[in-house]
Structure formats: structure tokens, C-alpha cells
């Protein structure tokens, strides 16, 4: 028998492999996901309707950032489908090549 290792991980975790803490924004077909990541784990997450105003997303991000107000926490935007340019002013857009590479690195660490 030939077996392989399977890992399940939320995409928001692999947007960043450099910082212990970060905030991420992702979009699915049905929702906008804002997550606070710490040590490669989702600590806090909000699921918002896809039609949400950007200002509401910004408020949630500010709330997550305020929790760590004495630290500089980076913001990463999941741009795997090249559809997040409207959010680019908030943080760093992360494309599929980086996400795939970070996923590989994450799995190797396990």
C-alpha cells in the first residue's frame, strides 16, 4: 500500500509564515473572512456576508489590531483568485504562489 500524509489547514494560516501574529482577510463565494492568527492557529474569526461594506471589514480589523495595540501586527489579504484588489490599501496582497509555498513549508514543519 502506498500512503500519503494529509493535512488540513485554513488558508488564512498560510498567508504568512514570517510573523507569529497577523490579521488576514479572505473572500469565498459566500463570505468575507477576517481572522486573527497567532502561532499558526486561528484565534478569532469573523464571517461576513460577501456584500459587506469595506468600512465594516476595516472596523473588525481595527478591533483585532487593538487587542495587540502595543505591537505591530501585519495584515495579509488572501489574493489567491486575484480578486482582492479593492482591499489592497489595507495590507499585503498574497498570491497563490506564496500561499502554495507557505503551505508546503507548513506541512514540512509538522
Amino acid at each position: 500500500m502506498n500512503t500519503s500524509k494529509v493535512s488540513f489547514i485554513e488558508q488564512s494560516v498560510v498567508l504568512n509564515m514570517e510573523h507569529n501574529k497577523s490579521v488576514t482577510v479572505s473572500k469565498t463565494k459566500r463570505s468575507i473572512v477576517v481572522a486573527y492568527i497567532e502561532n499558526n492557529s486561528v484565534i478569532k474569526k469573523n464571517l461576513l456576508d460577501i456584500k459587506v461594506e469595506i468600512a465594516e471589514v476595516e472596523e473588525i480589523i481595527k478591533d483585532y489590531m487593538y487587542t495587540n495595540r502595543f505591537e505591530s501586527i501585519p495584515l495579509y489579504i488572501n489574493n489567491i483568485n486575484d480578486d482582492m484588489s479593492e482591499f489592497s490599501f489595507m495590507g499585503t496582497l498574497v498570491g497563490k504562489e506564496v500561499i502554495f509555498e507557505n503551505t508546503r513549508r507548513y506541512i514540512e514543519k509538522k
Side-chain angles (χ1 to χ4, degrees), residues 5-100:
K5 184 177 179 179
V6 176
S7 292
F8 293 96
I9 183 170
E10 290 194 49
Q11 232 177 54
S12 56
V13 171
V14 293
L15 293 181
N16 159 55
M17 296 298 288
E18 307 304 319
H19 300 93
N20 288 334
K21 298 178 181 179
S22 64
V23 175
T24 64
V25 179
S26 299
K27 184 173 18 174
T28 69
K29 292 196 182 284
R30 291 184 225 149
S31 63
I32 301 285
V33 181
V34 182
Y36 171 66
I37 311 299
E38 193 170 306
N39 297 319
N40 297 321
S41 296
V42 177
I43 303 300
K44 215 174 178 182
K45 177 169 58 173
N46 282 75
L47 300 173
L48 308 164
D49 186 271
I50 195 75
K51 296 177 184 168
V52 68
E53 297 290 326
I54 290 180
E56 188 174 342
V57 176
E58 284 182 291
E59 286 303 311
I60 293 168
I61 291 168
K62 285 178 189 175
D63 180 50
Y64 287 3
M65 296 288 194
Y66 186 75
T67 303
N68 294 283
R69 64 187 169 275
F70 301 113
E71 298 177 54
S72 179
I73 307 293
L75 174 66
Y76 294 97
I77 315 296
N78 184 340
N79 198 39
I80 197 166
N81 294 321
D82 296 321
D83 60 352
M84 294 294 281
S85 59
E86 65 186 308
F87 291 88
S88 65
F89 70 95
M90 293 182 191
T92 304
L93 289 178
V94 181
K96 64 181 155 194
E97 296 83 17
V98 172
I99 293 170
F100 293 157

Side-chain angles (χ1 to χ4, degrees), residues 95-107:
K96 64 181 155 194
E97 296 83 17
V98 172
I99 293 170
F100 293 157
E101 175 61 22
N102 286 350
T103 301
R104 185 189 59 74
R105 289 173 54 199
Y106 179 86
I107 291 169

